[in-house]
Amino acid sequence: ASSIGGRKHSISTDYVLKVLGLDICSDTFVGNDMLRGVSGGQRKRVTTGEMIVGPRKTLFMDEISTGLDSSTTFQIVKCMRNFVHLMEATVLMGLLQPAPETYELFDDILLLSEGYMVYQGPRGKVLEFFESLGFKLPPRKGVADFLQEVTSKKDQAQYWADPSKPYVFIPVSEMAIAFKNSRFGKSLESTLSAPYDKSQSHPSALSRTKYAASRWELLNSCFAREKLLMTRQSFLYIFRTFQVAFVAFVTSTIFLRTKLHPVDEINGNLYLSCLFFGVVHMMFNGFSELSLLIFRLPVFYKQRDNLFHPAWIWSVVSWSIRVPYSAIEAVVWSCVLYYTVGFAPSAGRFFRFTFAQFVLHQMAVSLFRMLASLARDLVVANTFGSASLLLVFLLGGFVIPK
C-alpha cells in the first residue's frame, strides 16, 4: 500500500494518526500564544505521536495527565492502550489519581511506595493480594485511590477487613516481603529468573542505527517540511518580493540617470549612495529571518535531541531552500534599479552587481539566523540584531567617510 503514488503521508504515519485519534486534525496547526490550534489533549497526543511514529516500542510516561480533565486523560490512555495492543509495544505510565474508567484500561499494575515494590502483576489480581493481607476495597471507592492510601499510615486503618484479629499497622517493608512470598511475587520471580535466549530474539527487536531512516530519507523529509513551511508563509515572501520591487522603483526615481552625470567626484559619490542604500535595504530584508527562526528553535532542539534528524541535515536544507529566494530578490532589485539609475551598461557588470546583491542577502539571512540560534530569545536576538546592523552600517565606509 505504501508504494501507491500520490499519498500525502506514509502508511505508518496514517496508522498512528488513526490510533491516536488525530486524523481529524492532521492538517491543523499545533498553535501557539497567538494561534489557537489544536486542543490541549490533542497537543499531548501529538507529542506522543511524534515518539511512536518512529521505531520506538517502549515509552516511559510520567504524569502525562497534569493539567488535563479526566475525559481527556481517558482518551489519551485509551489511545496508548490501542498502540500497545496493535503495535506490540510496552508503555510504563505513571498517573496521578486516575479515574476508575482510566484505571481499567491498564493491563498490569506496578505499585511503588517508600522505595519498595509492593505489587507488580495483572490489574485484576491486585485486590486479591491486598485481601490476603486483610485489606478490602470498600464499595463506591476507586481502586487507584485505594492503592494510594492502603500503604499510608494515616489512611490504612479504614480498609482493614479481617474481623478475626485486631488491626495493626502494616508498614510498606512488610507488604513488600509479603508480596515476594506470595504466589504473585514467586511467579514474577520465576519469570525474571529464567535466562534470556538471545538466539530467539528477532533481528529487528532492537534498533541498530542512530536514526529511524536513512540520511537520504531524512534529507527528503526535512526538505518537504521546509517547503511546506515556506508555502504556509507564502504571503510574507510574496509581500517582501513586491516590497523589494517597490523600494527599488522609489530608489531609482531618487537617483534617476537623467539627474546624475559622472563628470566629477561629487556626482560619483551619488552612485556610492545608491549602492549603500542597496546594502541597507538587503540587510533589513534579512532581519525578518530572526523572528522566524526564534519561533522554530524549540521544535528543532526537541527533534534533534530525540534523534529525529541530524542537526546538519536540518541546517543544510534550511539554508539551501532560501538560496532561490535570495536570487529572486537580487534579480528583482537589480532589474528595476540598475539601468534606471545609470550604472555601467555592460552585461558583465550587471551580472556582477546582481551576484553581489545575492551574496549580500545570503549574508544578511545567515547573520540573523546565527544571532537567533545564539540568543534563543526574541528580545535578546532583536537587541543583538539591531547592534549588528549598526556595526555593519558604521563600518561600511560610507556613513563615516575617511
Side-chain angles (χ1 to χ4, degrees):
S2 60
S3 64
I4 298 174
R7 293 193 60 86
K8 190 184 293 185
H9 306 107
S10 67
I11 293 298
S12 62
T13 306
D14 291 336
Y15 191 49
V16 170
L17 284 173
K18 288 192 178 296
V19 167
L20 294 177
L22 292 172
D23 50 333
I24 59 173
C25 61
S26 58
D27 294 320
T28 307
F29 286 100
V30 174
N32 50 35
D33 296 337
M34 301 296 293
L35 186 68
R36 185 179 182 278
V38 298
S39 65
Q42 289 171 336
R43 187 171 300 187
K44 284 185 177 288
R45 278 179 279 156
V46 167
T47 304
T48 303
E50 284 181 326
M51 296 296 112
I52 67 178
V53 77
R56 297 166 180 80
K57 294 296 183 183
T58 305
L59 296 179
F60 301 95
M61 314 179 80
D62 181 28
E63 292 191 14
I64 61 168
S65 61
T66 304
L68 298 179
D69 56 86
S70 57
S71 62
T72 306
T73 304
F74 173 80
Q75 194 175 12
I76 292 177
V77 176
K78 187 177 181 181
C79 291
M80 296 311 302
R81 184 170 180 261
N82 293 337
F83 164 67
V84 167
H85 291 171
L86 297 176
M87 295 183 166
E88 299 180 355
T90 302
V91 173
L92 180 62
M93 184 185 298
L95 292 181
L96 184 63
Q97 292 180 315
E101 297 82 8
T102 306
Y103 170 82
E104 295 294 327
L105 295 173
F106 287 89
D107 298 320
D108 297 294
I109 298 297
L110 174 61
L111 182 60
L112 304 175
S113 181
E114 299 178 14
Y116 294 95
M117 186 174 70
V118 181
Y119 178 83
Q120 181 183 357
R123 171 181 49 82
K125 302 290 185 180
V126 64
L127 293 179
E128 182 181 339
F129 166 70
F130 280 102
E131 286 176 2
S132 66
L133 298 179
F135 301 101
K136 191 172 183 180
L137 175 70
R140 303 180 64 82
K141 180 75 175 181
V143 182
D145 294 334
F146 165 75
L147 295 178
Q148 284 184 309
E149 295 175 357
V150 75
T151 57
S152 170
K153 187 174 184 178
K154 185 173 68 173
D155 302 315
Q156 190 184 84
Q158 60 181 313
Y159 300 115
W160 184 255
D162 190 355
S164 61
K165 47 187 176 182
Y167 164 72
V168 178
F169 172 68
I170 301 179
V172 176
S173 56
E174 292 185 16
M175 287 185 177
I177 295 173
F179 170 72
K180 286 183 179 180
N181 296 329
S182 67
R183 61 185 182 89
F184 308 104
K186 289 179 180 178
S187 64
L188 178 66
E189 189 175 352
S190 63
T191 304
L192 296 177
S193 61
Y196 177 67
D197 187 5
K198 292 184 178 180
S199 62
Q200 300 297 320
S201 64
H202 195 274
S204 60
L206 291 175
S207 177
R208 302 179 186 277
T209 57
K210 191 174 182 180
Y211 300 99
S214 64
R215 292 180 179 179
W216 181 249
E217 289 177 316
L218 293 174
L219 198 67
N220 284 335
S221 61
C222 285
F223 186 84
R225 183 177 63 175
E226 291 295 323
K227 184 180 175 183
L228 175 64
L229 289 173
M230 286 196 73
T231 305
R232 286 177 175 174
Q233 297 162 351
S234 57
F235 172 78
L236 171 66
Y237 294 105
I238 293 172
F239 179 82
R240 272 176 28 180
T241 305
F242 279 103
Q243 178 191 0
V244 169
F246 176 74
V247 174
F249 172 74
V250 173
T251 308
S252 63
T253 59
I254 296 173
F255 298 97
L256 202 58
R257 63 185 303 167
T258 55
K259 297 179 182 179
L260 300 181
H261 299 285
V263 293
D264 53 26
E265 189 176 343
I266 296 175
N267 285 338
N269 278 335
L270 295 175
Y271 285 104
L272 290 179
S273 304
C274 185
L275 289 172
F276 182 75
F277 187 75
V279 172
V280 172
H281 182 66
M282 285 298 176
M283 290 294 293
F284 271 108
N285 238 18
F287 198 83
S288 59
E289 287 292 328
L290 193 141
S291 58
L292 289 176
L293 187 64
I294 286 286
F295 291 126
R296 294 189 56 196
L297 279 179
V299 176
F300 162 71
Y301 285 119
K302 181 183 73 172
Q303 294 184 349
R304 184 201 65 178
D305 295 341
N306 286 310
L307 303 181
F308 280 31
H309 50 69
W312 69 266
I313 284 184
W314 184 88
S315 303
V316 167
V317 170
S318 182
W319 161 76
S320 62
I321 204 167
R322 280 163 178 77
V323 170
Y325 178 69
S326 294
I328 291 173
E329 287 211 356
V331 169
V332 169
W333 179 265
S334 302
C335 289
V336 175
L337 184 81
Y338 191 84
Y339 288 106
T340 317
V341 170
F343 287 119
S346 62
R349 287 175 178 265
F350 169 78
F351 287 119
R352 281 198 290 272
F353 177 82
T354 306
F355 180 73
Q357 298 300 316
F358 164 74
V359 174
L360 181 66
H361 189 267
Q362 277 286 298
M363 184 274 293
V365 169
S366 303
L367 171 67
F368 293 118
R369 288 171 68 85
M370 181 195 73
L371 290 174
S373 59
L374 290 176
R376 304 189 190 183
D377 181 79
L378 190 58
V379 177
V380 178
N382 277 324
T383 304
F384 281 105
S386 303
S388 66
L389 281 178
L390 182 66
L391 283 174
V392 170
F393 296 156
L394 285 178
L395 303 178
F398 184 81
V399 178
I400 303 179
K402 188 174 179 180

